[in-house]
Amino acid sequence: QVQLVESGGGLVHPGGSLRLSCAASGFTLDNHPIGWFRQAPGKEREGVSCVISSGYVTFYADSVKGRFTVARDNAKNTVYLQMNSLKPEDTAVYYCATVCSGRGGYWGQGTQVTVPS
């Protein structure tokens, strides 16, 4: 069964850090770009980052540049999103997907990140 599973979300105080994981099963991530997205309550989904199969990061949203880092470990079939200096406005459900465009591909179920104000 083809599946993406995000994990690592939780509640963290402002300035704290979390590392999200996006693990694939049923297929290998090697040949896929991986996009991270987030959706806050009442807001549209937005792209957070994109890393292509080589590991080159092609995109960070302006709102997370310098704070978030994406990396892939193809041996573990997993992509990570390291989130530092978290802010209340980072509160959202975070998703990973095998696309960076936001359309098509495989998507995980999402993991909640909450940064209280």
Side-chain angles (χ1 to χ4, degrees), residues 93-107:
V93 178
Y94 284 72
Y95 301 88
C96 63
T98 58
V99 291
C100 290
S101 66
R103 297 180 179 179
Y106 300 118
W107 290 74

Side-chain angles (χ1 to χ4, degrees), residues 24-89:
S25 60
F27 71 106
T28 59
L29 290 176
D30 294 29
N31 296 322
H32 296 273
I34 296 296
W36 282 98
F37 302 84
R38 66 185 182 185
Q39 188 164 21
K43 295 187 177 180
E44 292 188 355
R45 186 177 65 199
E46 65 169 336
V48 174
S49 71
C50 174
V51 58
I52 61 176
S53 57
S54 66
Y56 181 73
V57 180
T58 63
F59 169 76
Y60 284 112
D62 287 344
S63 57
V64 307
K65 281 180 182 176
R67 299 188 299 121
F68 289 13
T69 304
V70 63
R72 59 192 307 154
D73 186 337
N74 289 337
K76 294 184 178 180
N77 219 22
T78 300
V79 174
Y80 303 98
L81 183 67
Q82 178 68 43
M83 307 187 297
N84 298 327
S85 302
L86 283 161
K87 305 175 181 180
E89 51 264 44

